[in-house]
Amino acid sequence: MCISSGSITVKENERWYSDGVVYPKPAWLREELLSKLARWAVENRKSEFKSTLSLVSVLRYSRLYQELKEKYRDMVKVWPEVTDPEKFVYEDVAIATYLLILWEDERTERGVTTKQSFVDLGCGNGLLVHILSSEGHPGRGIDVRRRKIWDMYGPQTQLEEGSIIPSDKTLFPGVDWLIGNHSDELTPWIPVIAARSSYTCRFFVLPCCFFDFVGRYHRRQSRKTQYREYLDFVLEVGLSCGFHMQEDCLRIPSTKRVCLIGKSRTYLPSSELWMDEQRTRYLHSRQGHSQCPSREGHTPSAPQAAAHDAGPQDSHRTCDAGAECMPDALAAEGGVAPATGLWMPGFCPREKAERVRNCAALPRDFIDQVVLQVANLLLDGKNLTTGSSEDGSLKTWNEGGSLSLAEVAAELSPETLQQLKRECGGLQTLLRNNHQVFEVLNGQVHIRDWRRELQREKPPEAKRSLPAEVFKTRICWFFTHHPDGCVLPAALCPFAHGPEELRPSQTSKKQKQAP
């Protein structure tokens, strides 16, 4: 990498493999690093979060992360889920690295050699469970919905399909650690479950979506960011359950990377009965704050919600059923449930059948209308470039300007925004789904220039290029809608320039032939 004259040149070679976790991506180095360095140089504000990896050795972390990355990187190539393999694999490798070092330090502190056991509540794709189990820690993962990738791990990785409803039936007395990695509606309950499982049970949570004990968490302090306020709430839960609480920032490719840890208790084992009474009182005090929202839930203003990226769909959970989830007897009681049975009426685990909310189920004419409207907004930016026409001559081509997601959302009708708000990721997901037309980078929307796509000789392993079986199976959007036509000659464009070039889809044929 060379920095000169206010620009960055990144020289890639065969050994360069960026994962976006420890090793930055070339696009980030070229397009974001200089502006961030300039901002960091003049900033004089104290961060509201801990410094990254403050509880573990950074040197040991970097070494172990590199080892695990090499060991598990092939998961990227065989990832069967619809989620981004590169993000999920390397993020879980990073979380596993952190836990393995944290647990190794704990064994040294306690003077023991037996590796800690664990249960991952809401384990999702199960990769974290697979890595920790493969590294010698006995444990299992539980999630309400089975994933395709579970069958690829082998029998040594124990994954169970089932719902967790906080009660005396969901205790883990023989387990050392409970893990909540993007555990959503279970996040505030994990300190409670750990505290009541046994005096020696510890926990690790990585909060993402904001949930209270029942339903969504509603912020109450405008002086803090919503994220900081929610972290403080989970810290409060841990303290109220009798844990000494610790906080750290992980090195993962996510904006939600603060973890909270409860390793030891603030009271002696002899005070357990008294402490559990305090926990019950605390849960009772939270009942006024906790309420299951309606199906749509509380939403911000339309442009903000439509442009918001809701994060990985694989871990997204919603509380849809409301108070009808609880037995009638408990609903009639009111007040807090005692320490036996259900701990709080109204808790709703997410549904086993996950609703498709990734914009794929939207009406085709609605999607086409939004795509055309956004494209016209960008093309009004008039950024003309020169390219080769189909007959070999040169022609100018309007590659359009650049707009932020918020600017695009502000131009859409309230009805369009309302429909997008119901989808995970809103406008950003719709535009990314239409990657033939758009490129969304760092919150900015651009018209995709397919000349640059063809110039990328060695895309990352996880980059899913257009497979041969769908080549020329769809009409080229640019050929039909762009005022200058497609920037590529028909022979090079992966999409059909007119009905005569269309080929039958091999994918649909395979689906029909499948038993």
Side-chain angles (χ1 to χ4, degrees):
M1 181 179 73
C2 301
I3 302 179
S4 61
S5 304
S7 64
I8 295 179
T9 303
V10 180
K11 296 181 180 179
E12 299 183 49
N13 57 46
E14 293 181 359
R15 298 183 62 190
W16 175 272
Y17 184 77
S18 56
D19 54 24
V21 183
V22 173
Y23 304 100
K25 293 181 177 295
W28 185 88
L29 292 171
R30 283 191 299 263
E31 299 165 16
E32 293 191 58
L33 179 57
L34 277 182
S35 61
K36 288 184 178 292
L37 288 173
R39 189 178 77 246
W40 294 337
V42 297
E43 271 185 347
N44 187 25
R45 64 182 182 89
K46 186 177 179 181
S47 172
E48 57 184 348
F49 305 113
K50 296 281 187 180
S51 59
T52 303
L53 305 180
S54 61
L55 298 181
V56 299
S57 164
V58 176
L59 179 61
R60 286 169 57 208
Y61 175 91
S62 300
R63 288 174 177 169
L64 181 58
Y65 173 80
Q66 183 62 30
E67 292 175 14
L68 295 181
K69 188 185 80 166
E70 291 298 319
K71 190 172 181 179
Y72 297 101
R73 66 184 298 175
D74 284 346
M75 294 299 303
V76 170
K77 301 176 183 177
V78 298
W79 194 257
E81 306 293 334
V82 296
T83 49
D84 181 4
E86 193 173 48
K87 179 188 187 303
F88 276 85
V89 171
Y90 294 123
E91 182 170 314
D92 282 354
V93 167
I95 296 169
T97 302
Y98 185 88
L99 285 171
L100 289 171
I101 293 178
L102 187 75
W103 291 348
E104 184 180 359
D105 289 344
E106 184 185 63
R107 293 196 300 274
T108 302
E109 293 167 6
R110 297 184 172 212
V112 297
T113 57
T114 304
K115 291 190 174 182
Q116 295 90 332
S117 59
F118 70 92
V119 173
D120 187 347
L121 301 178
C123 63
N125 58 57
L127 181 56
L128 181 60
V129 177
H130 175 65
I131 296 173
L132 295 175
S133 299
S134 299
E135 297 305 310
H137 286 269
R140 58 193 171 110
I142 305 172
D143 198 277
V144 71
R145 181 168 55 87
R146 186 179 187 83
R147 306 300 201 276
K148 298 175 186 175
I149 199 170
W150 285 14
D151 295 326
M152 300 176 63
Y153 294 135
Q156 78 282 0
T157 302
Q158 297 184 38
L159 299 169
E160 302 171 12
E161 189 176 11
S163 295
I164 299 292
I165 299 178
S167 69
D168 284 358
K169 293 183 179 179
T170 51
L171 296 177
F172 305 91
V175 172
D176 296 318
W177 282 81
L178 297 186
I179 297 172
N181 174 21
H182 298 300
S183 46
D184 294 346
E185 76 276 5
L186 285 175
T187 297
W189 283 107
I190 286 177
V192 185
I193 297 172
R196 286 179 165 172
S197 289
S198 72
Y199 182 79
T200 58
C201 188
R202 290 85 79 190
F203 73 88
F204 166 97
V205 291
L206 181 60
C208 179
C209 300
F210 307 142
F211 281 86
D212 210 312
F213 289 108
V214 174
R216 293 282 183 176
Y217 177 85
H218 298 295
R219 64 181 308 180
R220 283 171 283 279
Q221 297 187 38
S222 59
R223 289 178 295 176
K224 299 179 182 179
T225 64
Q226 185 178 20
Y227 184 40
R228 180 66 263 176
E229 183 183 336
Y230 186 69
L231 291 171
D232 289 344
F233 163 59
V234 181
L235 282 167
E236 175 191 295
V237 175
L239 290 169
S240 300
C241 287
F243 285 96
H244 289 293
M245 293 297 295
Q246 293 178 297
E247 179 180 314
D248 205 354
C249 275
L250 303 185
R251 189 178 287 176
I252 57 176
S254 173
T255 55
K256 306 292 196 314
R257 57 194 189 96
V258 177
C259 67
L260 303 172
I261 300 165
K263 285 177 62 178
S264 59
R265 306 297 174 96
T266 59
Y267 60 96
L268 296 174
S270 57
S271 302
E272 183 61 54
L273 185 60
W274 173 85
M275 191 66 220
D276 199 54
E277 291 174 355
Q278 306 308 306
R279 295 182 197 117
T280 302
R281 289 195 182 95
Y282 177 71
L283 291 174
H284 180 74
S285 73
R286 291 295 308 176
Q287 276 199 272
H289 302 284
S290 302
Q291 42 186 291
C292 231
S294 65
R295 185 170 292 272
E296 298 305 329
H298 177 72
T299 53
S301 64
Q304 290 174 327
H308 175 62
D309 183 3
Q313 297 165 22
D314 191 63
S315 62
H316 185 76
R317 290 126 190 239
T318 54
C319 180
D320 293 329
E324 65 198 36
C325 296
M326 60 178 161
D328 293 338
L330 280 175
E333 278 181 17
V336 70
T340 57
L342 294 176
W343 294 341
M344 185 180 287
F347 174 81
C348 307
R350 68 184 174 98
E351 297 170 349
K352 181 176 181 179
E354 192 168 43
R355 289 188 296 152
V356 176
R357 297 178 61 202
N358 62 354
C359 295
L362 289 171
R364 187 68 248 178
D365 57 346
F366 173 82
I367 295 174
D368 291 342
Q369 173 195 336
V370 174
V371 168
L372 191 58
Q373 185 176 353
V374 174
N376 287 334
L377 287 171
L378 296 170
L379 291 172
D380 283 344
K382 295 288 184 187
N383 187 5
L384 300 179
T385 60
T386 302
S388 297
S389 65
E390 295 193 29
D391 60 6
S393 61
L394 295 178
K395 69 171 185 177
T396 57
W397 190 75
N398 181 8
E399 66 178 9
S402 170
L403 291 173
S404 69
L405 285 163
E407 289 171 327
V408 173
E411 297 293 329
L412 301 179
S413 70
E415 295 78 19
T416 297
L417 295 173
Q418 190 65 33
Q419 196 157 357
L420 287 171
K421 280 198 298 181
R422 302 190 186 102
E423 304 296 313
C424 298
L427 175 63
Q428 180 165 210
T429 295
L430 185 145
L431 296 178
R432 282 182 166 163
N433 286 353
N434 289 274
H435 55 84
Q436 179 193 168
V437 186
F438 303 110
E439 192 170 25
V440 184
L441 291 172
N442 307 317
Q444 294 291 122
V445 187
H446 314 261
I447 295 288
R448 187 177 292 276
D449 187 340
W450 279 88
R451 291 172 297 185
R452 285 195 284 268
E453 297 296 318
L454 296 181
Q455 289 168 0
R456 295 172 182 171
E457 296 178 3
K458 293 183 178 180
E461 290 176 49
K463 205 76 174 177
R464 293 176 178 176
S465 57
L466 204 65
E469 59 262 27
V470 296
F471 187 77
K472 298 286 187 183
T473 58
R474 284 185 288 162
I475 291 288
C476 175
W477 185 93
F478 296 100
F479 178 83
T480 306
H481 297 287
H482 195 287
D484 301 325
C486 182
V487 73
L488 295 176
L492 294 179
C493 182
F495 303 95
H497 283 199
E500 65 279 0
E501 288 191 9
L502 275 174
R503 297 169 55 244
S505 173
Q506 299 298 314
T507 306
S508 58
K509 283 184 178 180
K510 289 178 182 177
Q511 289 173 347
K512 288 179 181 178
Q513 292 171 1

